[in-house]
């Protein structure tokens, strides 16, 4: 009896080993992505990529290392899939395990952190003054003229979801449920036209003004100059009525979040703000900064009330004053937002314990959107070194208030960046110069 039991055990062992080897063989000849992440140490296992010939070891990198280009298997495989080159085998069809921000004490940096989706190269501009013809080497090295600007239902799949799930919002989907987000993303139509085009009969240049809300515009009398541009970008609490002399009246592109388009109505009501800009033919661009934005998008794109969350039962379309049109509505892509942060506005605050809330301002994202869709850009109402002279907002004419430095934005870094872009002649920054009184005799 003992002899038979021993033989049975031996055969079971042989069969088990065979199954294991068969599984390993199958893994070696397929293309798949197994996403794992571990926290608690300075090293983070980012992902395991298998190619068609052999399995590769998990890619391990220091989560505190600076972002850089890496020619790893992960990047190579990602680039291959992004370019729609056919691959044999099976690509993962399930969402990766949800990563939590609380597992990281500072911004995690993956080996594909500085790799971005890019669209087809735009046609060469005929505008001689275009910032794309800049001679500034450092800017041109960082600048990606065909970075993917907009997210829509046709440029995201499971592989993209898993890649973007490594990044915290608004740069990705870290901490989010696939079904919660994708139920809205799958409604976003592909843009039918570029955000901006040269004006008919012009010289081919797209000239833009980007108007922030800083107090430096109070009494500036820049309104006519602003409105003379081909296109005018505004964001957040863009109060114009009663302030036209200083800030103009025209709005071509309005950039917002669900939070900014709703809270501006009561935050700035006493300054005359009644509604978001709604010029005829205006284009709306949304920054998807969190789950509440995807919930807002669900209601907006369906033409219904928001079913749940912070804006439950609100009707998003009423906030656009009859000018919402899906052909003129755009959602910024997470790669564009991350690219702006990584290459131009990477704050040292990202190494602090509150790293997950640190991001560029809506104004910063708007300004870089203009730099990628216009030939020339003039920025008004952005922070300058003499910001302490002015109120927080230009519409606070009789309500002097100082700029509030919130922890989630690095205002000083942004201020220095605008100054540098101005000095490098990438754009023009309005900097108010007040005449000094004559010296006493």
């Amino acid at each position: 009896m003992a002899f038979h039991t021993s033989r049975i055990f031996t055969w079971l062992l042989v069969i088990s080993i065979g199954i294991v080897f068969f599984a390993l063989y199958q893994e070696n000849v397929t293309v798949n992505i197994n996403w794992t992440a571990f926290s608690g140490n300075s090293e983070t296992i980012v992902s395991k990529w298998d190619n068609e010939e052999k399995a590769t070891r998990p890619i391990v990198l220091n989560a505190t290392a600076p972002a850089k280009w890496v020619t790893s298997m992960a990047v190579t495989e990602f680039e291959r899939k992004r370019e729609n080159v056919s691959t044999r085998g099976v690509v993962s069809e399930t969402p990766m395990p949800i990563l939590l921000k609380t597992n990281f004490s500072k911004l995690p940096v993956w080996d594909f952190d500085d790799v971005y989706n890019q669209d087809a190269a735009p046609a060469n501009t005929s505008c001689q003054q275009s910032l794309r013809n800049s001679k500034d080497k450092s800017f041109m090295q960082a600048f990606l003229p065909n970075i993917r600007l907009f997210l829509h239902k046709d440029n995201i799949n499971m592989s993209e979801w898993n890649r973007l799930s490594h990044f915290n919002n608004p740069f990705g989907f870290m901490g989010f449920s696939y079904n919660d987000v994708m139920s809205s993303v799958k409604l976003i139509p592909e843009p039918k036209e570029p955000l901006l085009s040269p004006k008919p009969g012009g010289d081919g240049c797209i000239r833009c003004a980007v108007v922030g809300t800083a107090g430096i515009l109070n009494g500036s009398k820049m309104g006519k100059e602003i409105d003379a541009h081909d296109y005018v970008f505004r964001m957040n609490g863009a109060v114009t009525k009663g302030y036209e002399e200083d800030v103009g009246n025209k709005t071509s592109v309005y950039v917002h979040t669900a939070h900014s388009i709703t809270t501006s109505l009561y935050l700035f009501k006493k300054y005359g703000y009644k509604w978001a800009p709604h010029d005829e033919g205006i284009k709306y661009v949304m920054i998807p900064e969190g789950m509440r934005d995807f919930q807002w998008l669900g209601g907006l794109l369906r033409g219904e009330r928001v079913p749940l969350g912070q804006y439950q039962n609100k009707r998003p379309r009423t906030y656009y004053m009859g000018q919402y049109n899906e052909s003129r509505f755009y959602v910024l892509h997470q790669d564009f937002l991350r690219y702006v942060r990584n290459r131009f506005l990477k704050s040292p605050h990202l190494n602090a314990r509150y790293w997950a809330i640190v991001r560029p301002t809506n104004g910063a994202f708007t300004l870089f959107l203009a730099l990628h869709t216009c030939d020339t850009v003039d920025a008004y109402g952005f922070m300058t070194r003499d910001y302490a002279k002015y109120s927080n907002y230009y519409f606070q004419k009789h309500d002097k208030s100082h700029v509030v430095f919130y922890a989630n934005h690095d205002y000083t870094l942004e201020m220095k960046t605008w100054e540098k872009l101005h000095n490098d002649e990438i754009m023009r920054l309005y900097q108010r110069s007040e005449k000094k009184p004559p010296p006493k005799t």
Side-chain angles (χ1 to χ4, degrees):
M1 184 61 130
F3 173 74
H4 290 294
T5 302
S6 175
R7 288 187 62 184
I8 291 171
F9 176 78
T10 302
W11 277 108
L12 287 174
L13 181 62
V14 170
I15 292 171
S16 299
I17 293 173
I19 291 172
V20 171
F21 274 102
F22 178 75
L24 289 174
Y25 172 77
Q26 288 294 98
E27 182 181 1
N28 288 346
V29 297
T30 60
V31 181
N32 62 74
I33 307 169
N34 297 317
W35 305 86
T36 57
F38 304 90
S39 62
N41 300 315
S42 62
E43 290 188 338
T44 301
I45 297 181
V46 180
S47 57
K48 178 180 177 183
W49 293 74
D50 298 332
N51 66 6
E52 297 149 338
E53 291 78 26
K54 60 181 180 180
T56 60
R57 291 183 294 111
I59 300 166
V60 182
L61 66 151
N62 191 322
T64 62
K68 57 184 180 298
W69 288 100
V70 179
T71 56
S72 67
M73 178 60 69
V75 174
T76 303
E77 192 70 9
F78 165 63
E79 289 290 325
R80 224 158 42 105
K81 286 182 172 59
R82 195 191 69 188
E83 293 170 1
N84 296 321
V85 177
S86 61
T87 56
R88 289 176 290 145
V90 180
V91 177
S92 174
E93 292 296 333
T94 58
M96 63 176 277
I98 295 176
L99 293 180
L100 300 177
K101 302 170 193 174
T102 53
N103 288 342
F104 303 96
S105 60
K106 62 178 67 176
L107 175 73
V109 179
W110 317 102
D111 69 329
F112 46 90
D113 201 271
D114 199 39
V115 178
Y116 312 97
N117 279 293
Q118 297 184 53
D119 294 320
N124 292 330
T125 178
S126 60
C127 178
Q128 295 300 314
Q129 298 82 39
S130 178
L131 61 92
R132 289 167 179 74
N133 298 328
S134 172
K135 304 299 182 184
D136 186 273
K137 292 183 179 179
S138 62
F139 173 77
M140 294 305 292
Q141 186 175 13
F143 184 70
L144 296 177
N146 55 324
I147 180 76
R148 178 161 294 169
L149 296 176
F150 305 117
L151 174 70
H152 58 80
K153 61 183 179 181
D154 296 323
N155 64 12
I156 186 166
N157 54 26
M158 189 63 71
S159 180
E160 274 289 271
W161 168 269
N162 286 340
R163 179 180 69 88
L164 291 171
S165 292
H166 287 77
F167 310 111
N168 65 298
N169 57 291
F171 314 102
F173 304 124
M174 181 184 286
F176 293 165
S177 161
Y178 175 84
N179 290 331
D180 289 346
V181 173
M182 292 303 292
S183 61
S184 295
V185 171
K186 287 299 184 182
L187 300 173
I188 304 173
E190 181 177 1
K192 295 179 175 60
E193 58 184 45
L195 184 67
L196 304 176
S197 299
K199 291 291 186 178
D203 60 359
C205 294
I206 301 175
R207 297 180 173 86
C208 300
V210 183
V211 186
T213 57
I216 191 172
L217 286 177
N218 188 337
S220 65
K221 294 181 170 52
M222 286 288 106
K224 287 185 178 180
E225 181 176 306
I226 289 170
D227 283 349
H229 290 76
D230 296 331
Y231 300 98
V232 179
F233 289 69
R234 299 184 197 269
M235 75 295 300
N236 299 341
V239 185
T240 56
K241 188 173 178 57
Y243 307 93
E244 294 90 343
E245 185 179 28
D246 291 338
V247 303
N249 186 48
K250 182 169 76 174
T251 306
S252 314
V253 180
Y254 178 65
V255 181
H256 65 291
T257 61
H259 177 73
S260 67
I261 202 172
T262 54
T263 58
S264 293
L265 288 172
Y266 60 83
L267 285 178
F268 307 126
K269 182 178 180 180
K270 66 178 180 179
Y271 302 112
Y273 188 92
K274 295 181 179 179
W275 41 65
H278 53 280
D279 302 41
E280 185 176 355
I282 190 172
K283 295 187 175 181
Y284 293 106
V285 178
M286 189 167 183
I287 302 170
E289 68 171 349
M291 184 56 67
R292 61 189 178 187
D293 295 274
F294 293 108
Q295 293 164 344
W296 178 270
L297 279 169
L300 177 68
L301 297 170
R302 291 187 180 96
E304 301 172 352
R305 294 179 185 270
V306 177
L308 73 168
Q310 182 176 338
Y311 305 115
Q312 186 173 10
N313 290 326
K314 288 188 181 294
R315 293 185 179 275
R317 292 196 181 185
T318 63
Y319 287 79
Y320 300 88
M321 300 301 294
Q323 283 300 315
Y324 167 78
N325 185 309
E326 74 169 28
S327 67
R328 293 186 277 107
F329 187 86
Y330 304 76
V331 180
L332 288 178
H333 196 284
Q334 286 74 17
D335 272 10
F336 173 73
L337 301 175
R338 194 174 79 260
Y339 151 79
V340 169
R341 180 198 68 187
N342 285 354
R343 296 201 171 191
F344 300 98
L345 293 170
K346 195 152 194 179
S347 171
H349 300 329
L350 292 166
N351 291 321
R353 58 181 175 79
Y354 56 91
W355 67 271
I357 68 170
V358 177
R359 70 169 182 84
T361 61
N362 290 353
F365 286 136
T366 303
L367 189 45
F368 275 99
L369 176 61
L371 290 170
H372 286 77
T373 55
C374 308
D375 290 303
T376 67
V377 175
D378 297 331
Y380 304 83
F382 283 78
M383 185 176 284
T384 55
R385 288 186 181 270
D386 59 349
Y387 68 88
K389 294 180 181 179
Y390 315 109
S391 58
N392 197 9
Y393 301 109
Y394 62 74
F395 40 79
Q396 293 175 317
K397 289 189 175 183
H398 308 293
D399 184 14
K400 178 82 172 178
S401 67
H402 299 292
V403 177
V404 179
F405 284 73
Y406 294 102
N408 58 328
H409 302 309
D410 192 334
Y411 295 95
T412 302
L413 173 61
E414 291 192 9
M415 176 187 69
K416 292 179 179 179
T417 301
W418 314 147
E419 185 179 69
K420 177 172 173 52
L421 289 170
H422 173 85
N423 293 338
D424 293 342
E425 299 182 345
I426 306 301
M427 69 174 200
R428 185 173 69 89
L429 174 67
Y430 172 68
Q431 300 175 79
R432 195 162 177 173
S433 56
E434 298 180 355
K435 291 183 179 180
K436 296 181 180 180
K440 294 181 179 181
T441 57

